[in-house]
Amino acid sequence: MSTPQPPMPQTAAPNWQAAPGTPYPTYTSPIPVTRTHLGHALASEWTKIRSVRSTMWTLGVFVLLVVGIGLAAAALVSANSSDESLAGESPLSFGFFGLLLGTMCIITLGVLTTASEYGTGMIRTTMTACPSRGRVLAAKSIVFFVVAFVVTLASALLVALADVALLEGSREPTGQEWLKGTVGISFYIALLGLLSLVVGSIIRHSAGAITIMIGVLLAPLVIALFMFSESLQDLQQALFEYSIPNQLSVFYAQSLSESGPSGWDPLWIMLGITAVAFAGAFALLEKRDV
């Protein structure tokens, strides 16, 4: 027969436990809680873009192409041309060749800014930290645009100043030419990179988005070069006029044709295309899963 156990002694409730029938005390966290805003997302995206190696590599190659090719072109022309033949030339125009090749670096970096996170799966962490998807896309766009514009402007300005010094026999550029050949073309290339960022957000695949953007950059001009039929002359002319290389040359007053975009038209065209693509990317971002 089992021996009965003695009753357990009654213990007092712990300090953190409220007595029966009384409400629990409220808890105040010692960590300050702040409402998140766009500034936090911008700080996060700035940390990302400056800490990954792809940014340093692509921008480094961009500067090397723009400065190296721009200076080489001006040096060759200066060595093989007389002062009389350079009298009507603007020295700023020789920076075009390096900027044309450098746009591929900006395109690549723009795509990687968004598409690489989908490839690695880090986009889930980003969206968990900032559930507002529109805010994430806006922060990426602002940070990338500022970086691309500043780097392009610094490179274009350096080449322009060096070419003016090298080509002493050329004419002095006007203020309008300085503005278009430095600030204007920097805005255009930064917008082209921003369009690449948006395409990367839509495609969500780095290689695919880069291929699409390089096709947008080069395909119209290459296709137009092989249109020999007279019935296709109107289409050929339109492809020449609105191809990205020709729009870049407009900033240096060296258009491939007398008609088509002129002045600041290329900038407004690229701004409109990028705005439409951004609206589409934002709509898809809200509907699709990460």
Side-chain angles (χ1 to χ4, degrees):
M1 186 171 181
S2 60
T3 306
Q5 298 294 328
M8 297 295 294
Q10 297 293 328
T11 57
N15 293 335
W16 53 265
Q17 183 176 352
T22 60
Y24 283 91
T26 58
Y27 172 75
T28 302
S29 174
I31 303 174
V33 179
T34 59
R35 186 179 183 86
T36 59
H37 51 75
L38 181 60
H40 297 122
L42 290 172
S44 173
E45 295 303 325
W46 167 243
T47 301
K48 291 179 189 177
I49 200 169
R50 68 184 174 87
S51 60
V52 295
R53 286 174 296 197
S54 60
T55 302
M56 297 298 105
W57 276 104
T58 51
L59 292 182
V61 173
F62 172 79
V63 174
L64 183 63
L65 287 173
V66 174
V67 176
I69 296 177
L71 295 181
L76 288 173
V77 172
S78 177
N80 299 313
S81 302
S82 61
D83 291 345
E84 291 77 10
S85 62
L86 291 174
E89 290 284 346
S90 171
L92 304 182
S93 60
F94 296 100
F96 164 77
F97 306 103
L99 285 168
L100 178 59
L101 291 176
T103 52
M104 288 189 282
C105 298
I106 299 297
I107 284 173
T108 301
L109 181 60
V111 169
L112 292 178
T113 301
T114 50
S116 62
E117 286 199 50
Y118 287 97
T120 59
M122 283 300 297
I123 192 65
R124 298 184 181 89
T125 304
T126 299
M127 293 303 181
T128 301
C130 182
S132 176
R133 300 183 180 187
R135 184 186 298 170
V136 171
L137 183 59
K140 288 181 180 293
S141 301
I142 294 171
V143 170
F144 171 81
F145 182 85
V146 172
V147 170
F149 174 76
V150 170
V151 173
T152 305
L153 179 60
S155 303
L157 185 59
L158 176 61
V159 171
L161 292 172
D163 287 353
V164 169
L166 284 172
L167 302 172
E168 296 179 354
S170 61
R171 65 178 177 83
E172 184 68 23
T174 64
Q176 181 77 358
E177 288 175 334
W178 274 105
L179 185 62
K180 291 177 64 178
T182 55
V183 177
I185 201 166
S186 299
F187 265 114
Y188 185 89
I189 292 177
L191 282 173
L192 181 61
L194 186 58
L195 177 62
S196 305
L197 181 148
V198 172
V199 171
S201 177
I202 295 172
I203 302 299
R204 297 185 172 187
H205 189 273
S206 299
I210 292 173
T211 302
I212 290 173
M213 288 307 302
I214 292 179
V216 170
L217 174 65
L218 299 177
L221 183 60
V222 173
I223 292 172
L225 290 174
F226 294 95
M227 286 186 173
F228 304 113
S229 174
E230 293 184 3
S231 61
L232 297 176
Q233 284 186 350
D234 291 340
L235 177 59
Q236 181 189 43
Q237 185 71 12
L239 290 175
F240 271 131
E241 292 172 354
Y242 291 95
S243 64
I244 290 177
N246 184 57
Q247 292 189 48
L248 285 172
S249 68
V250 169
F251 288 96
Y252 297 106
Q254 291 186 343
S255 178
L256 296 175
S257 62
E258 296 181 358
S259 58
S262 61
W264 294 92
D265 293 344
L267 188 61
W268 312 134
I269 292 172
M270 184 56 64
L271 182 61
I273 294 173
T274 304
V276 172
F278 192 91
F282 179 81
L284 288 174
L285 193 64
E286 293 295 330
K287 292 182 179 180
R288 295 192 296 187
D289 195 5
V290 296

